[in-house]
Amino acid sequence: ADLHFLIPETVEKVNFDKGPYFAGKGNLATAGFVEIQTKDFLEKNCIQLQAGRFNTQRTLGLFKILSKENERKKQQFYIASEYFRSNGYFDSPQKFHRFNIMGKYSAVFTNNARLTIIASTLDSRWDASGQIPERAVADSSISKFGSIDNSEGGNTNRTNITAKFTKQWKGGWQTSDQFYFTNYRFNLYSNFTFFLIDSTNGDEINQRERRDIYGYTGTVSKNFSPGTINANTEFGWGLRYDEVANIELNHVVKRKFLNSLQQGSIQELNGFLYSNSNIELSNKFTIIAGLRYDFFRFGYKSFSSNTAVFKNQQRGTVSPKLNFNYIINPKLKVYLNTGIGFHSNDTRVILNDKAEKILPRVFGTDIGVVLKPLKSLFIKTAIWYLYSQQEFIYVGDEGIVEPSGKTRRVGLDMSMRYQATRWLYADMDINYANARAVDAGKSENFVPLAPTFTSIGGLTVKTKKGFNCSLRYRYIDSRPANETNTIRADGYFLLDAIASYTHGKIELSLSMENILNSYWKEAQFDTESRLQFETKSVSEIHYTPGTPRFFKAGIGFVF
């Protein structure tokens, strides 16, 4: 889920949707999915320099190394790189550093074939103040941006390589083959409970992981037109293998090793097959039917046990999908999406026989309406339902995963897009959700930290004279932080803005986060902890303070 390896200026488009309704999406695609596609071709070279509050600097470069076009193919190889550093807004400097570099080769051939090869690497290091308890801020033991243990932090690096070849064959068949490899290193120091477990040295932990990921995905598709019916059918298959050579949980003090809590190796294999058919029965009615099969093999070897051998377990699951779309008229469309998805569970829990379901399923339904009452107004609204056979809570400081049972979620979503003039655009999303544990009592069935009401939106100005700006908000309501709703996570409202002006080969930019300078809590958890001089532990909200008012200015050169 970490996107630090992605350079924003290389993004061409983002595709996303919600629910377990798509046969091409497998493990963890339950609430939805996101696909990010980077640019195949750069129009121009670019250098950007940015600086802002809290000793923040960023340097970006996009360079075309090879760019040729002839009667046989169009090809380009470009390099994108960024360096970012910031001390952050905490009392203890964060000393955050991130370096990214990506190279991408793209070739489009006249025989309807396309080849892309991408290689990238990331290196990042930081110090952190960690989560702080509300009581320490209330009694002025620390400031709003202080820390209990400022020795937290860590470092990570990631290298990605992927190659994809697509081809349109005679007869209308289209194929794609993609190979990928990721090398990932992670090293994190955290202290969530302070002195709850070890009253002398404290409870700081160190989590380490070294992972290699190998994968392949292939597809073949074709359009068919039997009679008056138009159909597109796709078959897909693939394999992913994760090898975690060493996963560790250690007890440390000020980043110095004390003793090992857990240590082992993980091997996880996922093979899959799927088919998906988009069938147009008429110019108004479409059915999308899909079926997916996934096979998993889990293996774990604990170095803490007397017999350091791999324990293995395997399981398969079938995920059907069935979606309907009906166009009533050019201004009104209705749809019904149904599907079953799944998520894999922590390998260590599975092999210790603590998980009721190895691959618990998620059942989803969406009933929606798409409206276009005006030429410049688009509205989409949906009622949805999501049922999960089993959810889990990862307790990182103990290295365990706790099953939290069955849950159901019911919600209402609404999206609006409006073009007021040729240069002014408005958008808004409103989401309501009710999440409850199925098997718990009425007063103890809240799902901790599940959002209840959220909204985002804003105004955007785009002119032909080089001036662009955007004013955006995001809002999340307060929500339960524990199963009984006796402790709540605070909501917040934030306002951000960005403006840019392009003249010739120079672009000037200015961005501001949290314009109202609201004090807000970002990550929030109900945690039991004990401070060094306390005699009893306290369970309350522990949180990371959100960004105060922050501005950043930049200048870019295009050539």
Side-chain angles (χ1 to χ4, degrees):
D2 183 359
L3 288 179
H4 279 269
F5 66 88
L6 186 69
I7 301 174
E9 286 79 2
T10 65
V11 175
E12 178 72 25
K13 64 180 180 181
V14 179
N15 180 32
F16 63 93
D17 216 321
K18 73 178 197 291
Y21 312 128
F22 310 96
K25 314 302 176 189
N27 191 19
L28 302 174
T30 53
F33 73 89
V34 176
E35 287 181 338
I36 300 173
Q37 181 178 322
T38 54
K39 297 176 180 178
D40 288 333
F41 298 94
L42 296 180
E43 294 183 4
K44 297 180 180 179
N45 300 318
C46 174
I47 295 176
Q48 287 186 16
L49 304 174
Q50 298 174 333
R53 289 189 70 189
F54 316 123
N55 195 24
T56 299
Q57 294 100 37
R58 180 174 183 259
T59 303
L60 167 75
L62 301 172
F63 306 103
K64 295 184 288 184
I65 307 301
L66 169 68
S67 188
K68 290 184 178 181
E69 185 173 0
N70 54 41
E71 65 278 1
R72 293 182 56 208
K73 64 181 176 181
K74 176 184 178 181
Q75 61 178 332
Q76 186 181 102
F77 173 66
Y78 71 84
I79 290 178
S81 182
E82 71 165 348
Y83 175 73
F84 178 87
R85 70 180 301 272
S86 179
N87 278 336
Y89 49 89
F90 300 93
D91 294 345
S92 297
Q94 195 174 10
K95 300 178 183 177
F96 181 85
H97 293 260
R98 182 180 70 225
F99 175 74
N100 268 333
I101 186 168
M102 181 190 83
K104 183 170 184 178
Y105 173 79
S106 300
V108 179
F109 303 89
T110 54
N111 62 349
N112 297 317
R114 178 185 291 264
L115 172 66
T116 59
I117 301 173
I118 306 173
S120 67
T121 190
L122 154 78
D123 185 79
S124 183
R125 302 172 184 272
W126 67 95
D127 294 334
S129 296
Q131 298 168 18
I132 56 177
E134 288 183 326
R135 63 187 184 277
V137 177
D139 65 14
S140 301
S141 299
I142 60 174
S143 77
K144 293 180 178 180
F145 300 104
S147 64
I148 301 299
D149 185 351
N150 65 355
S151 66
E152 297 189 30
N155 59 278
T156 184
N157 57 74
R158 181 194 298 253
T159 298
N160 300 310
I161 301 173
T162 181
K164 185 175 183 179
F165 180 76
T166 62
K167 174 141 175 84
Q168 184 80 40
W169 302 88
K170 292 181 180 180
W173 292 96
Q174 181 172 325
T175 62
S176 72
D177 297 276
Q178 181 175 11
F179 298 87
Y180 59 89
F181 168 76
T182 294
N183 174 268
Y184 174 66
R185 300 292 184 268
F186 180 73
N187 180 32
L188 179 67
Y189 296 90
S190 309
N191 191 345
F192 302 109
T193 54
F194 310 126
F195 291 89
L196 177 67
I197 301 171
D198 188 331
S199 59
T200 302
N201 298 302
D203 302 342
E204 185 176 1
I205 57 172
N206 173 221
Q207 299 172 78
R208 292 175 176 265
E209 180 177 315
R210 294 187 292 119
R211 180 187 297 256
D212 290 322
I213 303 173
Y214 308 84
Y216 164 77
T217 300
T219 64
V220 57
S221 62
K222 180 177 171 56
N223 290 321
F224 299 92
S225 299
T228 59
I229 297 175
N230 293 318
N232 177 273
T233 299
E234 179 179 273
F235 298 96
W237 58 92
L239 193 70
R240 169 173 166 163
Y241 175 68
D242 288 49
E243 183 177 28
V244 186
N246 196 15
I247 185 167
E248 299 179 38
L249 177 67
N250 302 313
H251 183 197
V252 299
V253 57
K254 302 297 181 182
R255 301 194 182 187
K256 301 297 183 182
F257 178 84
L258 289 180
N259 59 281
S260 175
L261 302 176
Q262 282 190 10
Q263 189 175 10
S265 294
I266 293 174
Q267 295 178 354
E268 183 174 319
L269 176 69
N270 173 208
F272 62 87
L273 296 167
Y274 72 86
S275 67
N276 190 73
S277 295
N278 190 322
I279 306 168
E280 294 182 6
L281 298 177
S282 70
N283 59 355
K284 289 188 174 184
F285 188 43
T286 302
I287 297 176
I288 304 173
L291 187 65
R292 182 184 179 97
Y293 174 75
D294 284 84
F295 172 81
F296 280 82
R297 181 177 176 85
F298 303 92
Y300 178 62
K301 177 169 65 176
S302 174
F303 299 149
S304 303
S305 62
N306 295 327
T307 56
V309 296
F310 269 101
K311 294 182 179 180
N312 294 283
Q313 197 165 152
Q314 60 190 40
R315 189 67 56 87
T317 185
V318 177
S319 305
K321 328 280 183 177
L322 187 60
N323 308 322
F324 303 91
N325 293 281
Y326 185 73
I327 300 174
I328 297 176
N329 57 55
K331 296 182 178 181
L332 178 61
K333 182 179 82 169
V334 295
Y335 66 89
L336 170 65
N337 293 338
T338 63
I340 299 175
F342 70 95
H343 64 86
S344 63
N345 290 327
D346 188 286
T347 298
R348 293 164 292 182
V349 174
I350 294 170
L351 298 178
N352 288 332
D353 296 324
K354 294 180 181 179
E356 296 178 10
K357 303 287 184 180
I358 294 179
L359 301 173
R361 305 174 102 190
V362 175
F363 302 80
T365 300
D366 265 47
I367 302 175
V369 177
V370 180
L371 296 166
K372 199 170 183 182
L374 303 173
K375 183 179 179 180
S376 56
L377 177 62
F378 173 87
I379 301 174
K380 181 179 180 180
T381 183
I383 299 173
W384 56 268
Y385 174 84
L386 205 64
Y387 170 84
S388 177
Q389 286 184 332
Q390 191 174 54
E391 295 193 17
F392 284 81
I393 299 173
Y394 176 58
V395 186
D397 49 324
E398 297 182 28
I400 61 173
V401 178
E402 296 178 345
S404 62
K406 303 172 184 177
T407 62
R408 65 115 181 101
R409 289 169 166 84
V410 180
L412 174 66
D413 297 338
M414 178 177 290
S415 299
M416 290 175 282
R417 306 289 183 265
Y418 178 60
Q419 184 175 350
T421 68
R422 288 182 297 176
W423 51 269
L424 179 61
Y425 304 82
D427 67 276
M428 181 169 64
D429 293 292
I430 301 173
N431 313 96
Y432 169 77
N434 180 285
R436 294 292 185 268
V438 173
D439 297 327
K442 188 173 182 180
S443 60
E444 299 178 346
N445 64 345
F446 294 88
V447 179
L449 300 179
T452 54
F453 183 81
T454 61
S455 181
I456 61 171
L459 297 172
T460 301
V461 172
K462 294 183 178 181
T463 71
K464 295 181 179 180
K465 296 183 178 181
F467 176 74
N468 301 293
C469 68
S470 181
L471 180 67
R472 304 198 58 78
Y473 77 88
R474 68 182 188 270
Y475 171 78
I476 182 169
D477 198 10
S478 297
R479 56 209 185 277
N482 62 358
E483 291 81 357
T484 59
N485 198 21
T486 54
I487 298 178
R488 292 180 62 82
D490 293 336
Y492 56 80
F493 175 87
L494 299 175
L495 200 60
D496 304 326
I498 186 170
S500 65
Y501 177 71
T502 302
H503 181 73
K505 296 183 177 181
I506 298 178
E507 180 182 85
L508 303 176
S509 64
L510 177 65
S511 63
M512 183 175 291
E513 299 178 30
N514 194 2
I515 296 174
L516 303 178
N517 201 29
S518 303
Y519 182 73
W520 59 291
K521 299 172 183 177
E522 194 168 24
Q524 301 180 65
F525 300 94
D526 174 24
T527 303
E528 182 183 5
S529 68
R530 185 163 72 91
L531 302 179
Q532 188 169 16
F533 301 107
E534 290 180 330
T535 57
K536 295 182 178 180
S537 62
V538 177
S539 183
E540 65 174 357
I541 288 293
H542 292 57
Y543 66 96
T544 302
T547 307
R549 183 183 293 124
F550 171 75
F551 59 84
K552 181 173 61 179
I555 183 171
F557 304 92
V558 178
F559 57 95

